Amino acid sequence: MGRPHGSRRVVAVVPVGTLDGAKSRLGETLDAEERRDLATRLLSRTLGAGLATRGLDDVLVVTPDDEVRQLAARAGARPIRQRSQGLNAGLRQAREEVVAAAADALLVVPIDLPLISPEALEAVLAPLDDPSRPLVVLVPDRHGRGTNALLVAPPDAIEFGFGGDSRRAHAACAADAGARYVELDGPLSLDVDTPEDLLLVEQRAPESVDAH
């Protein structure tokens, strides 16, 4: 992992719940073991992409799950035990670590992005080449409501608003903060959340969700 953005320090945060409860909305399509296997494969793919991304200095995984922390450590990421409940609370906890490490920017990357790659993540980091600050870069989901990737510089420029119509919430927070706001399309707009998403992924990138 290098630094194409001058001396800026950029840290990725990967929030992960419990593997046993992962992807419950796929329950009609996959059984519990299959959902767990899918989450594990997606986690491995996400960490591999993050650790290979030019411009990311560190990858943190915040999770209450012991097995996820072990997987993260083996992959070369830095695991953090999540103390509080909820996605936004976990991200706030991770942000404390990022700020303490004197990072200039924080990139939130969920694990359910099957088309993730170093190139896709580098595209999200690219607006950092413009020194305008604060900066918020967002990749919405394909429905235009959720947030599939979020870059914030400095890390505490806005509050996290994941859940529900998070795209609108993050855009509003950016406006309130006077931040430069950039939205990007591309491969990260596809996530795996519903049976319809899974079918789409199996058509476009079967290798990302196929256990074989």
Side-chain angles (χ1 to χ4, degrees), residues 6 13 26 41 67 88 107 118 121 131 134-135 150 165 179 186 192 197:
V13 173
L26 296 175
R41 291 196 301 276
E67 184 178 351
N88 292 310
L107 173 64
L121 293 177
L135 170 70
L150 182 70
D165 195 349
V192 184
D197 295 332

Side-chain angles (χ1 to χ4, degrees), residues 87-171:
L87 172 56
N88 292 310
L91 289 173
R92 288 193 295 270
Q93 180 187 336
R95 182 172 60 192
E96 293 175 4
E97 300 268 345
V98 173
V99 171
D104 300 287
L106 180 156
L107 173 64
V108 179
V109 186
I111 68 165
D112 58 354
L113 308 178
L115 302 183
I116 194 169
S117 67
E119 293 76 20
L121 293 177
E122 286 165 15
V124 181
L125 301 181
L128 284 169
D129 287 334
D130 183 336
S132 301
R133 292 183 61 177
L135 170 70
V136 175
V137 181
L138 184 147
V139 179
D141 66 13
R142 66 188 181 92
H143 305 291
R145 297 186 68 245
T147 301
N148 280 7
L150 182 70
L151 177 71
V152 184
D156 56 358
I158 64 170
E159 276 305 312
F160 299 117
F162 285 91
D165 195 349
S166 63
R167 175 192 189 185
R168 181 178 298 177
H170 288 132

Side-chain angles (χ1 to χ4, degrees), residues 24-88:
S24 59
R25 293 177 66 184
L26 296 175
E28 295 181 4
T29 306
L30 304 176
D31 63 28
E33 184 176 352
E34 290 171 327
R35 295 196 304 273
R36 181 188 177 91
D37 288 345
L38 174 62
T40 302
R41 291 196 301 276
L42 288 170
L43 170 62
S44 176
R45 192 178 183 90
T46 301
L47 295 180
L51 291 165
T53 297
R54 194 170 58 95
L56 281 178
D57 295 277
D58 205 355
V59 176
L60 309 186
V61 177
V62 58
T63 177
D65 192 304
D66 291 339
E67 184 178 351
V68 172
R69 287 195 300 276
Q70 293 170 2
L71 291 170
R74 285 203 295 269
R78 185 150 65 91
I80 301 173
R81 181 188 296 274
Q82 183 171 338
R83 300 185 299 267
S84 53
Q85 292 187 338
L87 172 56
N88 292 310

